[in-house]
Amino acid sequence: MSSIDRILEGQALDESVWLELGEFCASLQVERHWVAELVDAGVLEPRGPSPDAWSFPASALVRARATSRLVNDLVATDDSEMQLMSMLTV
């Protein structure tokens, strides 16, 4: 099998599918505290009274992934600007 021959498996997710916090974090490959920060900021709205009881609609994965990309882009931009500034001040 060549490197481009792969079988991908997936599940169609819609508003009727809800993920518990652990499943949600695993799908995003993030830590629980990162999701909790998004909840605190109002980016995500879980169902349930506490993190141990939280669940999220599958559609929230799209918002969380977009947020992750934005944060990563901002961090990369900040690092690049800091490196550029340090080179200019030398």
Side-chain angles (χ1 to χ4, degrees):
M1 181 183 288
S2 73
S3 61
I4 60 171
D5 294 329
R6 312 185 275 209
I7 297 174
L8 300 177
E9 293 182 21
Q11 175 183 1
L13 302 175
D14 60 23
E15 289 295 323
S16 67
V17 177
W18 286 75
L19 305 171
E20 294 177 358
L21 179 59
E23 296 170 309
F24 194 78
C25 291
S27 296
L28 295 167
Q29 298 178 341
V30 298
E31 299 293 326
R32 291 170 58 110
H33 69 87
W34 187 81
V35 174
E37 289 177 11
L38 294 183
V39 170
D40 289 342
V43 175
L44 298 174
E45 296 180 13
R47 179 172 63 182
S50 67
D52 290 334
W54 282 352
S55 59
F56 299 87
S59 60
L61 288 170
V62 174
R63 178 176 287 177
R65 283 191 184 114
T67 303
S68 176
R69 285 192 302 271
L70 287 170
V71 168
N72 289 337
D73 289 349
L74 288 173
V75 168
T77 300
D78 286 346
D79 288 346
S80 299
E81 287 178 12
M82 289 171 55
Q83 289 174 0
L84 178 60
M85 291 302 288
S86 68
M87 288 188 289
L88 292 175
T89 57
V90 173

